[in-house]
Amino acid sequence: MITPIVNDEEVAAKKKKEALEREIELVKKEYEEKQKAKAEKRKAKEKDKGTDEEKDKAKESKQKNDDTDKKDEEEKNNKIKALSKEETKSEDGPRIYALHKTFYQKRVERIRSAEMAKRNRERLSNPTAFPSVPSGDP
């Protein structure tokens, strides 16, 4: 009956946007995995340490770890921002459809035939529409 008119540019832009979103998710997962690994290493180091001197060193290393965490976080955010800058905003516009000629013609023909049938019924129901019998002598 109808077929959508497909705009190839919009389809390509939508695919590109989806790929970009997948890439951003990968960056986020990678960052989370790095953070988990760092946390496990820190816990392992803290278990090994027990003396006061080592505790002082642990505080210093904790500060260093916090600094590296901040740097990693900034790096992740920068990657995400760079990827999102590449993204172009394309809104889904109204879909445009093409009506097939045969279906349109059938609709028009059905409407016209209904109008013709209505006119014919009105003509037949009106007695003045028929010719009268001549009233004079022949």
Side-chain angles (χ1 to χ4, degrees):
M1 192 156 143
I2 57 174
T3 54
I5 298 174
V6 180
N7 189 351
D8 294 332
E9 294 173 1
E10 289 179 10
V11 172
K14 190 178 260 187
K15 286 182 181 180
K16 185 177 178 181
K17 183 178 179 180
E18 290 173 359
L20 189 63
E21 288 174 2
R22 279 188 246 122
E23 193 171 336
I24 289 173
E25 288 298 320
L26 288 174
V27 169
K28 287 181 180 179
K29 286 180 183 178
E30 181 181 320
Y31 173 75
E32 290 174 5
E33 290 173 2
K34 283 183 182 179
Q35 291 301 318
K36 287 180 183 178
K38 285 182 182 181
E40 290 175 5
K41 286 181 183 179
R42 288 179 195 156
K43 288 180 181 178
K45 285 182 182 179
E46 288 176 6
K47 287 181 181 178
D48 294 340
K49 297 179 182 179
T51 64
D52 291 335
E53 293 176 6
E54 291 176 355
K55 288 182 181 178
D56 292 337
K57 290 180 182 177
K59 287 181 183 178
E60 292 174 10
S61 65
K62 188 174 182 180
Q63 290 176 348
K64 289 179 184 177
N65 290 337
D66 289 340
D67 291 339
T68 58
D69 287 346
K70 288 179 184 177
K71 288 179 184 177
D72 290 340
E73 178 107 21
E74 288 177 17
E75 182 179 323
K76 178 192 98 168
N77 290 336
N78 289 339
K79 282 184 182 179
I80 292 173
K81 285 180 184 177
L83 292 173
S84 61
K85 282 183 183 178
E86 294 174 9
E87 178 182 347
T88 58
K89 295 183 179 180
S90 63
E91 297 179 12
D92 289 340
R95 294 192 85 179
I96 300 171
Y97 294 95
L99 184 64
H100 293 292
K101 296 283 184 184
T102 56
F103 290 102
Y104 179 72
Q105 291 299 327
K106 285 181 182 180
R107 284 182 176 178
V108 170
E109 184 180 323
R110 186 178 52 207
I111 292 169
R112 286 183 184 159
S113 65
E115 288 175 0
M116 292 288 289
K118 184 178 177 183
R119 280 192 218 122
N120 286 338
R121 275 195 317 268
E122 289 176 0
R123 284 184 195 146
L124 292 175
S125 65
N126 188 0
T128 59
F130 294 106
S132 61
V133 176
S135 60
D137 289 331

